[in-house]
């Protein structure tokens, strides 16, 4: 089945075809983190969906050029940098947040993007793009030296504003009046491309043909995606909260730069498919620090949950449905994954060194069908847990040969190349020495018929999160 999904641009489900179908190459861009704080679970739900989409495209045989930027300059970063006691360099200030972000990213088993451009490394490309918009008469300078994008002139030259969301200009007028006064822009809906340097910026500024200053947020993504993926590329993804104005403005800037100043030119389409992910609720409410339902990923790790449990839960619902995250849900994730682990363990024992028969089971097909249908993850998980049930039954009835088991494991590996919830076999077998020492002590106690000691060790292991299972092949340690 061909991959189909909801394209925000056309507001309907479309079959995905890359711009170069024969090469199977896909250019994919996702707006990355702003590195001034730790990313929260709402941010990570988006990055997990991006990772799932990229992995599924690869599952389908596409070669994905995945770009995710790092926003390392904006108002909050400048404010934080100027307020920090040790002002060494902007890079020194943002580096610990960037490092923390990727630690969390890796813990959640997200594949590193092909390119991770930092905004401050692309200032020349941003200036070039602003220059092109100035040349086309779509951008203008205000008396304070800032450069704005003129939506009116963009539309007059043949550009289309409001491609992702229907824009009600009257409403924008009311909402943005104050900002408009502040920036002296011609039209309230216009947005900033280059912010002129102000005293509160301190030493954070870059030179430009229009005076010292710094880029606006929207132009960063347009310049970086264009430089790496070209004027037109396949998929742009992000949280639904970014659709307007950020993504809409990315379209306007990128397409505006392909218009001609005399008018009459057709814009080069910026992106062919837009994918937006629904927002996350936490314990039934919008996440906020004041409500006490605000979690970073590392908060959850500190509570003892693992990256795979968080990954499983955040990927359990459909990307177009808002999802209610709860700690109870994480406990459910733990139980579900333990069921899966148990089944895989038994299959590995059974398979031994047998080779898979080379034919695919129904699991890969049902999983492929589910995700090809607008990334229907719920159906994908359902197919997987059906498979777990059936496999357990077949194992109990001794209906599987080692080769059958190896085949089922090969199918599972295909599915997990997308879900990525199971550690590799090697990691799974890594039991801390402290725990294996306790197991040995327990075995010695049993041999000496010291059952009180043996029970005490069992309880100690339990308190450390491990249980012993006695199997025909000897005792086995299992995480609770
Ligand atoms: Zn962006």
């Amino acid at each position: 089945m061909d991959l189909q999904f909801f394209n925000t641009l056309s507001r309907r489900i479309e079959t995905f075809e890359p711009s170069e179908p024969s090469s199977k190459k896909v250019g994919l861009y996702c707006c990355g983190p702003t590195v001034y704080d730790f990313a929260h679970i709402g941010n990570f739900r988006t990055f997990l969906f991006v990772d799932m989409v990229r992995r599924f495209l690869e599952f389908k045989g596409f070669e994905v050029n995945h770009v995710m930027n790092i926003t390392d300059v904006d108002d909050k970063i400048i404010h934080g940098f100027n307020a920090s006691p040790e002002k060494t360099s902007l890079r020194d200030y943002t580096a610990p947040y960037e490092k923390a972000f990727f630690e969390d990213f890796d813990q959640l088993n997200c594949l590193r993007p092909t390119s991770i451009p930092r905004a401050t490394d692309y200032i020349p490309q941003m200036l070039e793009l602003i220059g092109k918009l100035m040349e086309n008469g779509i951008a203008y300078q205000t008396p304070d030296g800032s450069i704005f994008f003129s939506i009116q002139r963009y539309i007059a030259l043949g550009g289309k504003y409001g491609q992702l969301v229907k824009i009600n200009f009257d409403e924008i007028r009311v909402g943005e009046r104050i900002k408009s006064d502040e920036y002296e822009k011609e039209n309230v809906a216009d947005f900033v491309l280059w912010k002129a340097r102000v005293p509160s910026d301190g030493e954070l500024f870059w030179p430009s043909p229009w005076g010292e200053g710094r880029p606006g947020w929207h132009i960063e993504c347009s310049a970086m995606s264009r430089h790496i993926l070209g004027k037109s590329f396949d998929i742009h993804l992000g949280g639904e909260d970014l659709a307007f104005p950020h993504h809409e403005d990315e379209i306007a800037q990128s397409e505006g730069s392909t218009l001609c100043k005399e008018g009459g030119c057709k814009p080069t389409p910026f992106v062919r498919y837009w994918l937006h992910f629904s927002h996350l609720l936490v314990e039934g409410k919008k996440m906020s620090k004041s409500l006490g339902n605000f979690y970073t990923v590392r908060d959850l790790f500190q509570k003892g949950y693992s990256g795979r449990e968080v990954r499983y839960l955040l990927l359990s619902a459909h990307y177009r449905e808002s999802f209610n995250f709860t700690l109870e849900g994480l406990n459910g994730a733990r139980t579900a994954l333990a069921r899966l682990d148990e089944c895989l363990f038994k299959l590995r024992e059974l398979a031994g060194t047998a080779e898979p028969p080379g034919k695919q089971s129904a699991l890969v097909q049902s999983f492929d069908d589910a995700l090809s249908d607008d990334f229907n993850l719920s159906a994908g998980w359902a197919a997987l847990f059906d498979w777990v049930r059936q496999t357990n039954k077949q194992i109990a009835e001794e209906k599987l040969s080692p080769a059958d088991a190896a085949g089922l494991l090969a199918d599972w590996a295909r599915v997990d190349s997308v879900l990525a919830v199971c550690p590799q076999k090697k990691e799974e077998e890594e039991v801390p020495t402290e725990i294996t020492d306790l197991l040995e002590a327990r075995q010695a106690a049993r041999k000496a018929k010291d059952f009180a000691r043996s029970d005490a060790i069992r309880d100690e292991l339990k308190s450390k999160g491990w249980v012993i299972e006695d199997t025909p092949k000897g005792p086995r340690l299992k995480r609770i």
Side-chain angles (χ1 to χ4, degrees):
M1 184 176 167
D2 287 338
L3 171 61
Q4 300 186 331
F5 57 84
F6 186 86
N7 185 357
T8 320
L9 207 54
S10 61
R11 294 171 183 82
R12 60 184 178 83
I13 304 264
E14 283 183 48
T15 299
F16 174 70
E17 279 171 32
S19 43
E20 294 174 63
S22 55
S23 73
K24 289 225 125 194
K25 283 188 176 150
V26 176
L28 180 146
Y29 187 91
C30 147
C31 306
T34 302
V35 281
Y36 70 98
D37 203 350
F38 299 117
H40 58 67
I41 54 171
N43 302 133
F44 270 109
R45 188 181 189 225
T46 294
F47 297 122
L48 280 167
F49 274 133
V50 174
D51 184 65
M52 179 275 293
V53 168
R54 178 238 173 116
R55 284 170 176 273
F56 190 61
L57 284 164
E58 289 175 347
F59 173 98
K60 298 287 263 182
F62 293 107
E63 194 188 313
V64 184
N65 189 358
H66 174 192
V67 182
M68 179 186 76
N69 75 295
I70 302 278
T71 296
D72 61 350
V73 57
D74 83 339
D75 288 343
K76 285 180 186 128
I77 291 173
I78 288 176
H79 182 259
F81 174 79
N82 286 325
S84 65
E86 288 169 34
K87 286 191 265 301
T88 44
S89 71
L90 184 63
R91 186 62 52 87
D92 284 343
Y93 174 73
T94 56
Y97 297 113
E98 192 181 309
K99 186 170 167 275
F101 175 80
F102 282 109
E103 279 167 9
D104 295 349
F105 197 80
D106 292 344
Q107 284 281 315
L108 293 173
N109 218 1
C110 292
L111 293 174
R112 292 283 182 113
T114 327
S115 304
I116 309 171
R118 292 190 187 100
T120 52
D121 290 332
Y122 285 78
I123 305 281
Q125 287 81 359
M126 294 171 203
L127 294 177
E128 192 191 320
L129 194 56
I130 297 171
K132 184 79 189 140
L133 293 168
M134 286 293 272
E135 206 181 295
N136 281 353
I138 294 173
Y140 62 92
Q141 191 159 29
T142 51
D144 77 333
S146 295
I147 307 285
F148 277 85
F149 185 95
S150 166
I151 291 172
Q152 213 175 11
R153 286 185 226 164
Y154 167 63
I155 294 170
L157 283 190
K160 197 173 164 219
Y161 196 75
Q163 296 192 36
L164 294 173
V165 284
K166 286 198 172 68
I167 310 288
N168 181 338
F169 285 96
D170 293 338
E171 274 179 22
I172 292 172
R173 246 164 227 135
V174 176
E176 295 212 352
R177 185 156 293 154
I178 299 162
K179 276 188 192 163
S180 160
D181 292 343
E182 195 180 321
Y183 290 121
E184 305 171 75
K185 51 190 174 180
E186 286 175 9
N187 190 306
V188 276
D190 292 354
F191 57 90
V192 73
L193 299 168
W194 185 255
K195 291 186 178 187
R197 184 183 176 193
V198 290
S200 63
D201 289 345
E203 291 310 303
L204 287 182
F205 65 89
W206 286 262
S208 90
W210 314 282
E212 291 165 346
R214 62 194 162 94
W217 175 38
H218 312 314
I219 199 77
E220 296 180 0
C221 286
S222 284
M224 287 182 274
S225 61
R226 178 196 192 89
H227 186 77
I228 301 168
L229 296 169
K231 280 181 192 166
S232 187
F233 61 93
D234 298 300
I235 308 178
H236 194 313
L237 333 83
E240 62 180 357
D241 53 324
L242 293 190
F244 183 81
H246 184 56
H247 292 159
E248 193 65 52
D249 290 348
E250 280 186 39
I251 297 177
Q253 296 162 149
S254 301
E255 298 194 358
S257 73
T258 66
L259 294 169
C260 20
K261 58 181 168 204
E262 309 80 29
C265 293
K266 270 200 145 193
T268 306
F270 172 44
V271 170
R272 300 169 58 243
Y273 300 87
W274 283 87
L275 257 169
H276 285 102
F277 311 124
S278 266
H279 63 282
L280 182 80
L281 295 173
V282 178
E283 308 286 353
K285 295 191 180 80
K286 193 171 183 264
M287 186 163 58
S288 87
K289 283 185 176 156
S290 60
L291 286 175
N293 66 347
F294 185 96
Y295 296 118
T296 61
V297 178
R298 41 194 60 211
D299 291 337
L300 301 176
F301 295 159
Q302 264 168 19
K303 285 183 188 292
Y305 295 105
S306 64
R308 62 194 292 243
E309 287 161 354
V310 177
R311 182 179 175 101
Y312 172 89
L313 185 63
L314 289 176
L315 285 180
S316 58
H318 199 280
Y319 76 94
R320 285 199 283 131
E321 279 165 16
S322 63
F323 178 66
N324 186 25
F325 178 94
T326 62
L327 291 180
E328 211 180 302
L330 273 179
N331 295 331
R334 180 166 291 179
T335 312
L337 288 173
R339 244 168 68 217
L340 179 62
D341 289 349
E342 183 65 26
C343 176
L344 295 171
F345 178 84
K346 285 191 251 167
L347 279 177
R348 282 182 193 131
E349 268 203 329
L350 195 54
T353 53
E355 288 293 321
K359 65 174 189 327
Q360 203 169 270
S361 77
L363 171 67
V364 177
Q365 191 58 53
S366 351
F367 182 78
D368 187 350
D369 288 348
L371 268 73
S372 295
D373 178 16
D374 198 20
F375 301 107
N376 190 344
L377 274 170
S378 327
W381 289 113
L384 174 64
F385 283 102
D386 260 359
W387 175 85
V388 168
R389 243 187 321 274
Q390 280 167 27
T391 304
N392 281 337
K393 193 164 168 266
Q394 286 177 310
I395 295 171
E397 291 169 358
E398 296 182 1
K399 282 186 179 160
L400 294 180
S401 69
D404 292 336
L408 289 170
L409 284 170
D411 292 341
W412 158 250
R414 279 280 286 146
V415 168
D416 197 46
S417 70
V418 181
L419 297 176
V421 288
C422 277
Q424 293 306 303
K425 206 177 165 193
K426 195 176 150 282
E427 290 171 44
E428 198 178 57
E429 284 169 350
E430 267 174 25
V431 180
T433 353
E434 179 203 10
I435 304 296
T436 48
D437 287 351
L438 280 171
L439 178 68
E440 272 172 32
R442 186 249 191 185
Q443 291 309 97
R446 273 167 70 108
K447 220 172 165 185
K449 300 212 183 310
D450 184 353
F451 296 112
R453 166 110 180 100
S454 157
D455 287 351
I457 297 175
R458 193 194 53 208
D459 291 345
E460 192 182 343
L461 278 169
K462 203 171 173 188
S463 72
K464 292 181 190 298
W466 294 83
V467 283
I468 303 170
E469 268 190 0
D470 289 302
T471 73
K473 289 184 180 172
R476 168 192 158 206
L477 281 163
K478 219 178 93 177
R479 271 209 177 274
I480 294 173

